[in-house]
Amino acid sequence: METGGLPLELWRVILAYLHLPDLGRCSLVCRAWYELILSLDSTRWRQLCLGCTECRHPNWPNQPDVEPESWREAFKQHYLASKTWAKNALDLESSICFSLFRRKKERRTLSVGPGHEFDSLGSALAMASLYDRIVLFPGVYEEQGEIILKVPVEIVGQGKLGEVVLLASIDQHCSTTRVCNLVFMPAWFSPIMYKTTSGHIQFDNCNFENGHIQVHGPEDNDFLMSLDLESQDQAWSPRTCDIVIEGSQSPTSPVSSSPKPGSKEGEVGSDGERVAQTPDSSDGGLSPSGEDEDDEQLTYRLSYQVQGPRPVLGGSFLGPPLPGASIQLPSCLVLNSLHQELQKDKEAMALASSVQGCLIRKCLFRDGKGGVFVCSYGRAKMEGNVFRNLTYAVRCIHNSKIVMLRNDIYRCRASGIFLRLEGGGLIAGNNIYHNAEAGVDIRKKSNPLILCNQIHHGLRSGIVVLGNGKGVIRNNQIFSNKEAGIYILYHGNPIVSGNHIFKGRAAGIAVNENGKGLITENVIRENQWGGVDIRRGGVPILRSNLICFGYSDGVVVGDEGRGLIEGNTIYANKGCGVWMMSSSLPHVSSNHVSYNGLYGVAVFSQKDGEFPGGHGAQENFSEDGDAILWETELEKEDDPLRRPVTVALVESNSINHNGASGIFVQSSEALQVTANVIHANGDRGVTIVQSSQLTRVANNSISCNRQSGVKVEFQCKVELRGNGIYDNRGHGIITKGDGTAVVENDIIGNRGSGLQLLPRSDTKVLKNRIHSFRAYGIAVRGRVKALVQENIIFQGKTNKTIFQQITNNRECIMQNNKFLVFKKKSDTWRLVNPPARPHLENSLRGSSAAHSGHKVAAMATRITARVEGGYHSNRSIFCTIL
């Protein structure tokens, strides 16, 4: 570039004096001059942008104190807004010739104000021709009657913020209009400041105070907004893929160090249950293979594999949570930006970039009943606006569609965004907070896409879906709301995926009153009540979520709750991992439940009101405070993913390192506990204190728990079949149940007795293989009624007998049992025919495995895991007694 020896800084000073046309000409000289003109962004381009009297700060009204990334680009957008609005006009085919000639006629500018051509907007419109520009100079203009727009015009306020005020009610009947830099207030006769029933309207940099805009079915022929979101559910549904968990299977059971001098091996309680006093090892349990033994006694040592838990988040949540440490989520769980989400979703991208009906950009709505009301097939796009101190911000009803991008919506006296009667569209990148009711309210078959919003600090719920409402709720941050982050009820049925729902003062997600929903791949953490709360006929599909660090329970299934709870990671909640009422009928399958403060899975009989974490105050779901009469035509149960369940089912879960029992049952209803890994919990593996109907515990691996493997209390009806009960610190099984069946279990290597029968119990013990490392194979305490038949019982220490019972106990019948007594060191017994239990290939895993092989968490579409039935291998445990 020939600069004549002048430095670039001096050239920039010289060029800063040029007007816009001259800057354009200079940029065409050569590449070097073009780049020089671009370098004036923070000087000349900033002056031009801020000096435009009909435009405001580029980030007004959202962030007026924040400079834009490029002042030149911001000025370009202001400039083009006035040039391109007419392109949105819809001309009839008969007017093609007119559209060719209209550009040849120079557009007039009509001035309105004191000392100008016209003194009112109405008089200027009466003289306006097609596409004329009407400029309102500073002042207050009040129209006494409704203004009818019959020709396309541009209405611009010429002045600083708030200097041009228009009190009017305008009804648009033309193909297109643009309004810029005005303060609208309602006329004395109507709260509607602007109404359109046809064509396109574009608002830029306007204030709307104490009134609202009404959009009725503009006659735009736009196929983009006519997309039925319901037909796009497949495209917007969570994209799960198979994930393979890395890691190798532990070859042996955990080995502990020798007891410290002076420590007690354990104490025996009043019911004969041994309680270990030794500190926890890393796996939560001690193996007998590492114990010190009396040299004079011969001992059998066990070398067998115990099925332990596997991580589902690539090791992110392997160990116990560190007290006081901040929560660091894996990088794979970080939310995508709106740009990234739109790049992945072409349909959403098409909606975000489309222009239909009413276009509202960088406007302020405040202090009125409502902001924008879109109805009767209306179309509206709102971008970069502020809605505050309104009754509601936006209402979308009667098959209307809206696109809302990067708006601020706060301090509404009702819901922020309200969709009803098949409303839909795209709600993306908005900041919705401090509203008196829900941030977003979806009902009566409305079906929007809610994407990448921040919905927080609401006085009620973040999002509510009810009355057959649908929608796709994806990749949002929903936090610090007073009630549930997402509340689904009255047959609401959304797809909720990939959201972060945290620090709520109630449940993260609540589903009740026959609510449904597919809830998948969300991170639900640090909520005051349950991470997910299901009650009163709620029947969601809860799959592949991370539910962690809650101040109460991970998942609560209250009275009459149902649904499928599958493949979730439920970690480090202060209450239970899963809390269920016996009257509920959930299917709890293939979850990883670990390091929760109380029970891993708990089943109780108490009523809803007795549970402190219950969903207390109900939302006010009325419209503007009036009661709603719900429509009677509710959708039928046609979802193939929801199978009818007649008994609560807990199957194929990994339940480990929880503070109390792995599974706790106090139930008046039938229950099936099948094919779970219950490992290293802080109390017993399974505790059953009440079971008036049959509780079936089958094909589980129960190992390394701090106390007994299984305890059955008085008058409980329990069937224990096909379980592998290994290495627990107390007894293998301790029972005083009335009608307990212990059939075909492997009870091996527990510190107490393999099986202990307490007074008043009535038990059948059939075809088990039993070995106790230190105590009796079977110990009978007091008078019991029992049938002990066809069992194989291995001897432990030589100073202990295989079987112990009191004399003259005629109701304890022994038949056809096989006692294997140590004779010499070379004796070796193997568990064959059948191999060591549990036998996964024969376990009753339910049909969930048939319709889905993805049994463990798939987090945020980037973390997935594939574990058959919640176990690590379908091979049986090989158990050798040396």
Side-chain angles (χ1 to χ4, degrees):
M1 180 179 66
E2 295 294 334
T3 60
L6 294 178
L8 291 178
E9 290 76 9
L10 185 56
W11 276 111
R12 292 190 179 101
V13 173
I14 296 173
L15 294 175
Y17 288 93
L18 297 183
H19 296 288
L20 179 63
D22 297 325
L23 287 174
R25 295 185 185 99
C26 289
S27 67
L28 298 176
V29 172
C30 63
R31 179 75 179 181
W33 278 83
Y34 175 75
E35 294 177 354
L36 181 61
I37 298 299
L38 292 184
S39 70
L40 303 176
D41 189 80
S42 61
T43 54
R44 184 54 178 159
W45 289 113
R46 184 178 186 274
Q47 293 174 356
L48 290 172
C49 188
L50 294 179
C52 182
T53 57
E54 63 185 52
C55 300
R56 302 180 184 177
H57 190 281
N59 286 330
W60 187 90
N62 302 73
Q63 297 176 308
D65 298 328
V66 178
E67 291 196 357
E69 295 182 1
S70 169
W71 286 99
R72 175 182 171 276
E73 184 64 26
F75 181 73
K76 175 183 175 182
Q77 295 300 324
H78 287 321
Y79 184 79
L80 293 179
S82 180
K83 302 296 181 182
T84 60
W85 63 275
K87 294 181 180 180
N88 293 291
L90 179 66
D91 295 317
L92 298 177
E93 293 183 1
S94 60
S95 61
I96 292 178
C97 293
F98 171 76
S99 66
L100 296 176
F101 286 99
R102 72 185 183 198
R103 302 297 179 189
K104 297 181 180 180
K105 180 181 179 181
E106 185 175 351
R107 199 168 56 144
R108 294 187 304 163
T109 298
L110 309 180
S111 300
V112 179
H116 292 275
E117 186 178 359
F118 301 96
D119 59 359
S120 69
L121 176 62
S123 59
L125 288 171
M127 300 299 296
S129 300
L130 294 172
Y131 301 99
D132 281 348
R133 178 184 175 92
I134 300 176
V135 178
L136 276 66
F137 286 86
V140 178
Y141 303 89
E142 182 174 6
E143 301 293 334
Q144 297 299 319
E146 185 178 50
I147 295 177
I148 307 297
L149 284 181
K150 297 182 179 180
V151 294
V153 293
E154 181 181 24
I155 305 172
V156 178
Q158 186 80 23
K160 296 181 180 179
L161 174 64
E163 289 185 346
V164 183
V165 181
L166 177 63
L167 286 74
S169 179
I170 301 175
D171 190 356
Q172 175 181 326
H173 289 181
C174 57
S175 60
T176 182
T177 301
R178 179 179 183 248
V179 180
C180 177
N181 196 33
L182 296 180
V183 176
F184 276 91
M185 292 185 179
W188 61 270
F189 53 86
S190 173
I192 301 175
M193 295 179 287
Y194 200 101
K195 178 173 66 174
T196 176
T197 55
S198 65
H200 167 80
I201 171 64
Q202 177 177 322
F203 292 100
D204 293 311
N205 298 120
C206 293
N207 279 28
F208 296 89
E209 301 179 6
N210 297 299
H212 66 272
I213 296 174
Q214 186 168 303
V215 182
H216 281 264
E219 298 172 359
D220 287 4
N221 186 19
D222 195 329
F223 73 96
L224 291 175
M225 283 298 286
S226 66
L227 287 174
D228 184 359
L229 296 190
E230 184 172 358
S231 67
Q232 302 298 329
D233 281 352
Q234 182 176 1
W236 288 335
S237 63
R239 295 169 174 82
T240 57
C241 18
D242 292 340
I243 349 186
V244 179
I245 297 180
E246 298 296 335
S248 60
Q249 185 173 3
S250 176
T252 61
S253 61
V255 178
S256 68
S257 59
S258 300
K260 295 181 181 179
S263 65
K264 295 183 179 180
E265 182 66 33
E267 298 176 358
V268 179
S270 59
D271 61 356
E273 183 169 8
R274 184 177 299 273
V275 181
Q277 301 296 326
T278 314
D280 279 336
S281 62
S282 61
D283 69 335
L286 297 177
S287 170
S289 59
E291 302 272 346
D292 289 338
E293 297 298 331
D294 190 341
D295 294 336
E296 297 179 358
Q297 294 179 345
L298 297 176
T299 307
Y300 300 93
R301 297 213 174 182
L302 306 179
S303 177
Y304 53 87
Q305 294 179 348
V306 175
Q307 294 181 355
R310 283 275 184 135
V312 294
L313 293 176
S316 302
F317 296 102
L318 261 176
L322 299 176
S326 60
I327 298 172
Q328 298 293 334
L329 293 175
S331 59
C332 56
L333 298 183
V334 175
L335 291 175
N336 288 337
S337 66
L338 176 59
H339 176 73
Q340 290 171 326
E341 284 293 313
L342 293 179
Q343 290 295 323
K344 294 194 313 181
D345 194 328
K346 300 305 180 184
E347 290 85 359
M349 175 67 83
L351 281 173
S353 59
S354 61
V355 177
Q356 314 81 24
C358 180
L359 174 61
I360 305 172
R361 300 187 304 183
K362 298 184 182 299
C363 294
L364 171 63
F365 294 81
R366 65 179 186 182
D367 304 328
K369 181 177 180 180
V372 179
F373 180 44
V374 187
C375 60
S376 302
Y377 296 89
R379 303 288 187 270
K381 179 177 181 179
M382 291 151 272
E383 183 173 5
N385 305 286
V386 170
F387 299 83
R388 73 182 189 209
N389 299 326
L390 304 163
T391 300
Y392 64 86
V394 177
R395 287 170 61 96
C396 177
I397 67 173
H398 290 297
N399 299 95
S400 298
K401 300 291 185 290
I402 58 175
V403 174
M404 299 193 66
L405 301 174
R406 304 180 185 88
N407 302 280
D408 281 4
I409 301 170
Y410 58 98
R411 294 178 186 167
C412 292
R413 294 182 290 276
S415 298
I417 303 173
F418 186 89
L419 298 105
R420 181 170 177 262
L421 296 174
E422 301 187 56
L426 173 65
I427 301 170
N430 303 283
N431 190 16
I432 304 171
Y433 60 100
H434 283 303
N435 297 291
E437 297 289 340
V440 181
D441 188 313
I442 305 168
R443 60 180 79 186
K444 294 188 178 179
K445 299 184 180 180
S446 294
N447 192 22
L449 170 59
I450 302 176
L451 181 67
C452 296
N453 302 280
Q454 287 194 348
I455 305 173
H456 57 100
H457 291 93
L459 301 184
R460 303 299 288 268
S461 295
I463 299 175
V464 295
V465 186
L466 64 155
N468 288 327
K470 298 181 181 179
V472 178
I473 304 170
R474 192 175 77 219
N475 210 68
N476 301 278
Q477 290 190 62
I478 304 172
F479 60 95
S480 299
N481 295 287
K482 190 173 182 180
E483 295 188 0
I486 299 177
Y487 199 1
I488 305 170
L489 67 167
Y490 297 120
H491 296 264
N493 191 15
I495 297 174
V496 182
S497 68
N499 303 281
H500 284 200
I501 305 170
F502 58 98
K503 293 185 178 179
R505 295 171 61 184
I509 298 177
V511 186
N512 59 36
E513 304 295 350
N514 300 305
K516 303 176 186 177
L518 173 60
I519 302 168
T520 179
E521 299 177 6
N522 302 280
V523 177
I524 305 170
R525 59 182 174 91
E526 300 176 88
N527 295 287
Q528 292 289 336
W529 292 358
V532 178
D533 191 298
I534 305 168
R535 298 171 187 268
R536 293 186 286 274
V539 56
I541 296 174
L542 184 67
R543 178 178 292 147
S544 303
N545 302 278
L546 171 59
I547 304 170
C548 61
F549 300 107
Y551 295 99
S552 183
D553 305 312
V555 177
V556 174
V557 187
D559 189 23
E560 298 181 3
R562 296 177 293 155
L564 173 63
I565 303 168
E566 181 181 49
N568 303 282
T569 299
I570 305 172
Y571 172 82
N573 299 283
K574 290 189 176 181
C576 303
V578 179
W579 188 98
M580 300 167 18
M581 282 195 64
S582 60
S583 60
S584 63
L585 292 175
H587 183 175
V588 182
S589 174
S590 306
N591 301 282
H592 189 93
V593 185
S594 62
Y595 289 103
N596 298 285
L598 298 178
Y599 308 110
V601 177
V603 184
F604 287 95
S605 294
Q606 61 201 69
K607 298 299 183 183
D608 250 353
E610 300 174 9
F611 178 55
H615 206 277
Q618 292 293 312
E619 287 268 13
N620 175 17
F621 293 111
S622 60
E623 299 180 38
D624 302 336
D626 297 330
I628 285 183
L629 297 178
W630 293 101
E631 63 269 39
T632 57
E633 81 249 31
L634 297 177
E635 292 183 339
K636 297 181 180 179
E637 188 75 32
D638 56 357
D639 193 334
L641 297 178
R642 293 182 174 86
R643 300 184 289 112
V645 178
T646 58
V647 61
L649 178 60
V650 180
E651 67 164 354
S652 304
N653 302 281
S654 176
I655 304 170
N656 65 89
H657 293 94
N658 297 286
S661 296
I663 296 180
F664 181 89
V665 180
Q666 181 186 340
S667 174
S668 57
E669 305 290 339
L671 175 68
Q672 289 194 27
V673 179
T674 305
N676 301 281
V677 173
I678 305 169
H679 176 79
N681 294 285
D683 202 317
R684 306 174 190 93
V686 178
T687 301
I688 303 173
V689 300
Q690 177 185 338
S691 179
S692 54
Q693 296 192 38
L694 180 64
T695 294
R696 188 170 187 271
V697 181
N699 298 305
N700 301 280
S701 174
I702 305 171
S703 63
C704 299
N705 296 285
R706 179 178 285 272
Q707 295 191 19
S708 300
V710 180
K711 183 175 182 181
V712 180
E713 290 287 357
F714 182 60
Q715 292 185 338
C716 292
K717 297 180 180 178
V718 179
E719 178 186 357
L720 299 168
R721 182 184 294 271
N723 302 285
I725 303 172
Y726 305 100
D727 261 359
N728 298 285
R729 294 189 182 184
H731 305 293
I733 298 174
I734 180 170
T735 178
K736 45 183 160 180
D738 181 9
T740 301
V742 182
V743 182
E744 297 180 348
N745 302 280
D746 286 342
I747 309 169
I748 307 293
N750 301 285
R751 288 195 184 179
S753 300
L755 173 61
Q756 186 165 102
L757 306 179
L758 298 183
R760 298 189 297 172
S761 63
D762 182 357
T763 307
K764 293 181 179 179
V765 184
L766 307 174
K767 299 182 179 179
N768 301 280
R769 293 180 292 196
I770 304 172
H771 168 269
S772 174
F773 183 70
R774 293 180 172 276
Y776 299 100
I778 299 178
V780 179
R781 306 289 188 183
R783 295 195 174 274
V784 301
K785 182 178 180 181
L787 172 62
V788 182
Q789 182 176 340
E790 298 184 17
N791 300 281
I792 300 176
I793 306 174
F794 302 95
Q795 181 185 19
K797 290 185 177 182
T798 56
N799 67 342
K800 294 284 188 179
T801 60
I802 292 177
F803 181 83
Q804 180 194 45
Q805 68 169 327
I806 63 173
T807 58
N808 300 322
N809 189 358
R810 298 181 178 179
E811 291 186 308
C812 184
I813 301 172
M814 302 282 295
Q815 293 180 350
N816 301 326
N817 297 286
K818 184 176 181 180
F819 300 94
L820 299 182
V821 181
F822 175 82
K823 294 181 180 180
K824 55 184 178 180
K825 277 191 173 182
S826 60
D827 286 347
T828 301
W829 298 300
R830 299 175 184 271
L831 295 185
V832 293
N833 295 323
R837 300 179 176 95
H839 300 153
L840 304 185
E841 63 274 13
N842 296 324
S843 64
L844 300 178
R845 296 168 54 189
S847 61
S848 63
H851 79 264
S852 174
H854 313 301
K855 305 300 291 182
V856 185
M859 299 303 303
T861 70
R862 291 171 295 285
I863 288 193
T864 52
R866 185 174 180 273
V867 174
E868 292 297 331
Y871 293 90
H872 322 313
S873 170
N874 282 336
R875 297 176 298 171
S876 299
I877 302 173
F878 184 70
C879 177
T880 304
I881 302 180
L882 299 175

